[in-house]
Amino acid sequence: MPARPQTSTEAIVTAGRRLLEERGAEALTLRDVADAVGVRAPSLYKRIRNRADLFQLILDDVTEELLAQQEAVARSGDPATGLRRLMSAYRAFAHANPAAFALLYSPQSTPPGSDRLRRLTVILLRLVTELAGAEDALPAARTIVSWANGFIAAELGEGFQLGGDVERAWEYGLGRVLSV
Amino acid sequence: MPARPQTSTEAIVTAGRRLLEERGAEALTLRDVADAVGVRAPSLYKRIRNRADLFQLILDDVTEELLAQQEAVARSGDPATGLRRLMSAYRAFAHANPAAFALLYSPQSTPPGSDRLRRLTVILLRLVTELAGAEDALPAARTIVSWANGFIAAELGEGFQLGGDVERAWEYGLGRVLSV
DNA sequence: ACCTGAACACCGTTCAAGT
DNA sequence: ACCTGAACACCGTTCAAGT
């Protein structure tokens, strides 16, 4: 007589994502996730392979949300305005999901080749190509995304310790990396 | 009769730093560090407060080295050349110490207010002030360091998946963030 | 088919006991 | 003064047993 399911992969990922933001990656335990979805820790292994796999599923979930947001924002008028809006939305998303952003962005987190990450790049590359031309599109896109990731990481990690106007620094940097 | 010391804080930090680069932060265990310096794990607590403190000591060590390197490089002729050399040396240091760089750079790693990190900023700010003027120095420096950190993090984390010429992208970005 | 308690190996950390 | 073995709480993970 089969036991009825008490949870789902979706519930596990949602609870994991919430706990990730609430307590940070290091403090996220499978026993807490199991508690949150109403089962015991060993039962999680019917739906996830291991702890690393749970993080991967969480990042997939986050990336899907980010992709949908970026696709919606990318429909602007001229490419410069579109890129500004794209980067502002990207920054807002990171502020709303700081722990997930840190994971997504830190070295060795996501296995290379995720389809959603590639589609994020495509959105950016299309706008940058309009702005900078096909010849310079790739290095220009890499400049923009490197700057944005570094800026946001510094913001989230209290890296800007000298005070000053952080919003002005964002606008200033945006002007630099978009002036192709 | 006092027991003779079998190790030192310096030996512990050196071994910890080596193991950090060899195995990554997650896989670094105090038992391995103790093994490497020839004591048992509980003895480490005579010299470090806990695992987090060991990471802090390792980052202090790394930062000291980076600071000495950046101070040596900063003595160039014109500010633009000096900044290019500074950023190249920064990048080379990160490539030589990828795990430590990832820690230094990731959010919530270093407690804000480290004196060495401030001195690193001072070196950069001095050159940027010469290049961009006092008015724009802070946002310009933040743009440069954000871009460099984001670029290097992408390099180290296999973030540049579309191939292309990464060296060209570095030069391209450097040109953008230095064109003040 | 899924859930569970028990168990395992492994951690960081504490502490009483040695020298 | 420092080192050690033993022990503790906690973790990810496995597995046999239940339904």
Side-chain angles (χ1 to χ4, degrees):
Chain A
M1 191 171 173
R4 299 280 299 283
Q6 311 283 343
T7 185
S8 65
T9 306
E10 190 189 350
I12 292 168
V13 170
T14 301
R17 188 172 161 185
R18 179 174 55 78
L19 289 170
L20 168 66
E21 294 297 342
E22 283 177 10
R23 312 186 186 177
E26 263 187 50
L28 188 153
T29 74
L30 294 186
R31 279 171 173 89
D32 283 345
V33 173
D35 261 10
V37 300
V39 298
R40 299 293 190 167
S43 297
L44 297 179
Y45 288 82
K46 286 287 158 182
R47 328 226 178 240
I48 65 172
R49 262 177 315 183
N50 48 42
R51 188 174 185 268
D53 185 46
L54 173 59
F55 277 97
Q56 188 54 61
L57 292 173
I58 292 172
L59 288 187
D60 283 350
D61 191 59
V62 171
T63 312
E64 183 178 9
E65 213 175 290
L66 174 60
L67 178 62
Q69 183 238 49
Q70 294 278 278
E71 278 175 341
V73 170
R75 322 179 196 291
S76 283
D78 63 304
T81 306
L83 278 169
R84 286 184 168 270
R85 289 193 185 144
L86 202 70
M87 290 300 106
S88 284
Y90 186 69
R91 184 182 178 210
F93 186 89
H95 282 246
N97 306 271
F101 178 82
L103 279 186
L104 201 61
Y105 181 41
S106 83
Q108 276 94 335
S109 67
T110 314
S114 146
D115 184 56
R116 290 198 185 94
L117 285 182
R118 189 164 54 250
R119 285 161 65 195
L120 272 174
T121 309
V122 166
I123 294 175
L124 181 67
L125 266 181
R126 186 171 55 76
L127 285 171
V128 175
T129 302
E130 291 184 48
L131 188 73
E135 173 71 18
D136 284 345
L138 189 55
R142 281 172 172 169
T143 299
I144 294 168
V145 78
S146 292
W147 164 78
N149 282 336
F151 191 98
I152 293 164
E155 277 189 300
L156 297 181
E158 317 287 343
F160 291 147
Q161 290 179 47
L162 293 183
D165 189 337
V166 174
E167 298 309 317
R168 188 190 153 214
W170 172 265
E171 290 300 327
Y172 184 96
L174 204 46
R176 287 295 115 232
V177 299
L178 291 185
S179 74
V180 291
Chain B
M1 190 171 173
R4 299 280 298 284
Q6 311 283 344
T7 185
S8 65
T9 306
E10 191 190 349
I12 291 168
V13 171
T14 301
R17 187 171 161 184
R18 178 174 55 77
L19 289 169
L20 169 66
E21 295 297 342
E22 282 177 10
R23 311 187 187 177
E26 262 188 50
L28 189 153
T29 75
L30 294 186
R31 281 172 172 89
D32 283 345
V33 173
D35 261 9
V37 300
V39 298
R40 298 292 190 169
S43 298
L44 297 179
Y45 288 81
K46 286 288 158 181
R47 328 226 177 239
I48 65 172
R49 264 178 313 184
N50 48 42
R51 189 175 184 268
D53 184 47
L54 174 59
F55 277 97
Q56 188 54 62
L57 293 173
I58 291 173
L59 288 187
D60 283 349
D61 191 59
V62 171
T63 312
E64 183 178 8
E65 212 176 291
L66 173 60
L67 179 63
Q69 183 238 49
Q70 294 278 279
E71 279 174 341
V73 171
R75 321 179 196 293
S76 283
D78 63 304
T81 305
L83 278 169
R84 285 185 168 270
R85 289 193 187 146
L86 202 70
M87 289 300 105
S88 284
Y90 186 69
R91 184 183 178 208
F93 187 89
H95 282 246
N97 305 272
F101 178 82
L103 279 186
L104 201 62
Y105 182 42
S106 82
Q108 276 92 334
S109 67
T110 315
S114 145
D115 184 55
R116 290 199 185 93
L117 284 182
R118 188 164 55 249
R119 286 162 65 196
L120 272 173
T121 309
V122 167
I123 294 175
L124 181 68
L125 266 180
R126 186 172 55 76
L127 286 172
V128 174
T129 302
E130 290 184 50
L131 188 73
E135 172 72 19
D136 284 344
L138 189 54
R142 282 172 172 169
T143 300
I144 294 168
V145 77
S146 292
W147 164 79
N149 282 336
F151 192 97
I152 293 163
E155 277 190 299
L156 297 181
E158 318 288 343
F160 291 148
Q161 292 179 44
L162 293 184
D165 189 337
V166 173
E167 297 309 317
R168 188 189 154 214
W170 172 264
E171 290 300 327
Y172 184 97
L174 204 46
R176 287 295 115 231
V177 298
L178 291 185
S179 73
V180 291

